[in-house]
Amino acid sequence: MTDAVRLTQVRKTYGKGGGAVTALDGVSIGFPRGTFTAVMGPSGSGKSTFLHCAAGLDRPTTGSVELAGVELTGLGEKQLTRLRREKIGFVFQAFNLLPALTVAQNIALPLKLAGRKPDRAAMAEVVRRVGLHDRLGHRPAQLSGGQQQRVAIARALVTRPAVIFADEPTGALDTRTAREVLGLLRDSVTAGGQTIVMVTHDPVAASFADRVVFLADGALVGELYQPTPDAVAERMTHLGAWAVV
Ligand SMILES: Nc1ncnc2c1ncn2[C@@H]1O[C@H](COP(=O)(O)OP(=O)(O)OP(=O)(O)O)[C@@H](O)[C@H]1O
Ligand SMILES: [Mg+2]
């Protein structure tokens, strides 16, 4: 299987000298195309740093990241921005929709930014997938949290990116709505062949993935295939992740 994203010996150090913090300590991992991976670990274990390095939002101190066959290390800012636009979709906890734009305009925005024609077929497909056909003319403020996150997912899917990175996508949603959103992400992988990498604190959210990888102190310390919520929670307990919850 080909990897959509591959990190090789990625280290990320913030600061210098005595105050330096090693957020990632030599991480190597691949994410095969068409798979859904959850990234878990205690607070401060390096999850956000990992996601930012993998998505070209931040540069590793050493090591390399290859995304959709492109080595990110040598790219300049302009090339990186373009690659992010064309190859990556993002879903955040806080939705990050543009309030002045309609649902349809928010979904089409990545196509517009990439200078692509509004692709009617791609739009219709993602709107159908997330079930928003009767909300296309609404503004984000007129939608529930779950509906807003569905718009954000449609926006992430519309360019058919090589990978979607999600950072706590259900962190702001109630349990039932969270499950709907996770079901959509799952379906985009199973039926649509999308690749997804999702950071989460929630064992139930992680159980929607094909695989869970665990970070502790900036290093990968294990993985779990076909995760159940109980198996994930058990593993997290051993990492000391619930100590502060
Ligand atoms: N810009 C920064 N400058 C200095 N240190 C940083 C910076 N960003 C992160 N760190 C440190 O790197 C380590 C990893 O942080 P990171 O945000 O990746 O953790 P996380 O697993 O996402 O945590 P959380 O679950 O709380 O979001 C932490 O020790 C953090 O304090
Ligand atoms: Mg974080």
Side-chain angles (χ1 to χ4, degrees), residues 176-191:
R176 198 177 65 94
T177 312
R179 280 176 196 228
E180 281 170 22
V181 163
L182 290 160
L184 267 178
L185 293 175
R186 178 69 255 174
D187 186 54
S188 73
V189 174
T190 307

Side-chain angles (χ1 to χ4, degrees), residues 20-33:
V21 175
T22 300
L24 291 177
D25 197 5
V27 170
S28 298
I29 188 171
F31 298 95
R33 280 191 200 154

Side-chain angles (χ1 to χ4, degrees), residues 10 12 24 48-60 65 72:
V10 168
K12 178 73 184 179
L24 291 177
S48 293
T49 305
F50 174 83
L51 206 70
H52 292 163
C53 287
L57 290 166
D58 203 351
R59 291 180 189 273
V65 178
L72 303 192

Side-chain angles (χ1 to χ4, degrees), residues 4 57 82 109 144 162 165 191 209 231:
L57 290 166
R82 205 172 125 191
L109 190 63
S144 70
F165 291 104

Side-chain angles (χ1 to χ4, degrees), residues 92-174:
F92 301 98
Q93 177 169 346
F95 319 138
N96 293 5
L97 301 175
L98 294 185
L101 300 186
T102 64
V103 165
Q105 289 166 335
N106 266 287
I107 296 173
L109 190 63
L111 295 172
K112 206 169 175 189
L113 288 175
R116 294 202 226 164
K117 281 203 197 123
D119 180 337
R120 278 170 169 264
M123 279 292 289
E125 158 74 13
V126 298
V127 167
R128 184 194 60 74
R129 199 174 274 291
V130 302
L132 286 164
H133 47 279
D134 57 346
R135 290 284 189 278
L136 291 176
H138 288 64
R139 313 269 165 199
Q142 298 171 298
L143 303 178
S144 70
Q147 288 168 336
Q148 289 185 57
Q149 196 59 307
R150 277 151 58 191
V151 176
I153 290 170
R155 180 182 58 181
L157 288 167
V158 77
T159 57
R160 298 188 158 279
V163 55
I164 290 179
F165 291 104
D167 200 352
E168 296 280 359
T170 55
L173 303 176
D174 64 66

